Amino acid sequence: MRTGVDYNESRAAYEGIAHKVVYTGPVDAYFDYKLGQLEYRGLRFETERLEEVNHQGVAVMNYTEREVPYTRVIEHKHFEFGTQPVTYVTKEYPADWQPDEEAYYPVNNERNQNLYQQYAELASQEENVIFGGRLAEYKYYDMDDVIKSALECANRELK
Ligand SMILES: Cc1cc2nc3c(=O)[nH]c(=O)nc-3n(C[C@H](O)[C@H](O)[C@H](O)COP(=O)(O)OP(=O)(O)OC[C@H]3O[C@@H](n4cnc5c(N)ncnc54)[C@H](O)[C@@H]3O)c2cc1C
């Protein structure tokens, strides 16, 4: 097992040691962006320490009002029932995305869906490679949905 390496940079070496590859990276990167680049929504995070025991009472609070500049606030201690005297919160702000940044959410417009369909066609021709997950399928998945999808994929493969 190797972590912190880019599969696409040493693909030939990895293909040689596996009968089957599960690829969970961006599908356009796998094909060296030869049809163009898929776009994503960006995010900017601001984390702050607050000198209070409890800020919002829950781990996640979503904001949809136009007047509020952030879309959600995470209060980390509530994920693990923390009892610390202070609290840390992270605000998530929408941001423009640049290709060298983390790809957060797919942009589901006609341009990107058409481009993805072309990459999906190429992917379907790759023997012994399973393209799975939010980046390889260019799809927004919640965690429960992506686990379901992985289990279904495993069932198909192991039949
Ligand atoms: C900002 C944000 C907030 C979210 N909040 C929620 C939430 O509140 N609730 C919820 O249910 N879901 C949430 N999700 C969705 C959740 O994160 C996904 O469902 C889940 O991470 C998808 O799993 P995945 O394996 O498809 O992708 P990922 O978790 O992104 O895993 C992909 C893996 O592939 C690796 N990889 C990528 N490219 C390469 C490469 N070239 N070489 C080697 N390795 C590579 C990455 O390092 C990573 O380990 C959120 C997602 C985002 C982006």
Side-chain angles (χ1 to χ4, degrees), residues 11 13 40 44 46 61 63 66 70 72 82 89 93 101 113-114 116 125 135 145 150 156:
R11 190 184 309 162
Y40 287 86
R44 180 169 62 81
E46 272 182 17
M61 185 75 82
Y63 292 85
R66 181 189 291 265
Y70 41 84
R72 91 178 163 175
V89 298
Y93 294 83
E101 293 174 352
Q113 279 310 320
N114 286 340
Y116 168 67
Q125 293 162 22
L135 299 166
D145 291 330
R156 280 195 305 276

Side-chain angles (χ1 to χ4, degrees), residues 29-48:
Y30 182 95
F31 294 104
D32 202 19
Y33 308 102
K34 66 179 176 187
L35 303 176
Q37 205 149 24
L38 291 163
E39 295 164 315
Y40 287 86
R41 271 175 53 204
L43 277 181
R44 180 169 62 81
F45 299 99
E46 272 182 17
T47 300
E48 57 187 323

Side-chain angles (χ1 to χ4, degrees), residues 57-100:
V58 290
V60 183
M61 185 75 82
N62 291 303
Y63 292 85
T64 55
E65 301 101 303
R66 181 189 291 265
E67 297 72 30
V68 179
Y70 41 84
T71 52
R72 91 178 163 175
V73 178
I74 305 293
E75 187 171 7
H76 302 273
K77 72 191 302 181
H78 294 307
F79 284 116
E80 301 199 357
F81 310 103
T83 54
Q84 301 86 345
V86 299
T87 192
Y88 286 83
V89 298
T90 300
K91 290 179 178 150
E92 296 183 8
Y93 294 83
D96 289 336
W97 176 79
Q98 305 299 328
D100 57 343

Side-chain angles (χ1 to χ4, degrees), residues 5-7 24-25 43 72 105 133-134 140-143 146:
V5 293
D6 183 343
Y7 174 76
T24 59
L43 277 181
R72 91 178 163 175
Y105 302 112
R134 67 182 192 97
Y140 181 81
Y141 272 120
D142 273 328
M143 282 183 278
V146 85

Side-chain angles (χ1 to χ4, degrees), residues 103-157:
Y104 289 113
Y105 302 112
V107 177
N108 283 322
N109 59 20
E110 205 178 333
R111 182 239 177 230
N112 287 298
Q113 279 310 320
N114 286 340
L115 185 55
Y116 168 67
Q117 288 309 326
Q118 294 173 54
Y119 278 121
E121 178 59 33
L122 291 179
S124 71
Q125 293 162 22
E126 287 290 285
E127 283 180 16
N128 305 327
V129 183
I130 297 167
F131 290 79
R134 67 182 192 97
L135 299 166
E137 297 177 68
Y138 194 63
K139 179 175 181 180
Y140 181 81
Y141 272 120
D142 273 328
M143 282 183 278
D144 53 336
D145 291 330
V146 85
I147 290 167
K148 181 168 179 251
S149 164
L151 290 172
E152 287 170 353
C153 178
N155 282 337
R156 280 195 305 276
E157 288 294 319

Side-chain angles (χ1 to χ4, degrees), residues 44-58:
R44 180 169 62 81
F45 299 99
E46 272 182 17
T47 300
E48 57 187 323
R49 170 185 164 130
L50 301 175
E51 303 302 318
E52 54 185 312
V53 173
N54 180 15
H55 183 63
Q56 62 184 18
V58 290

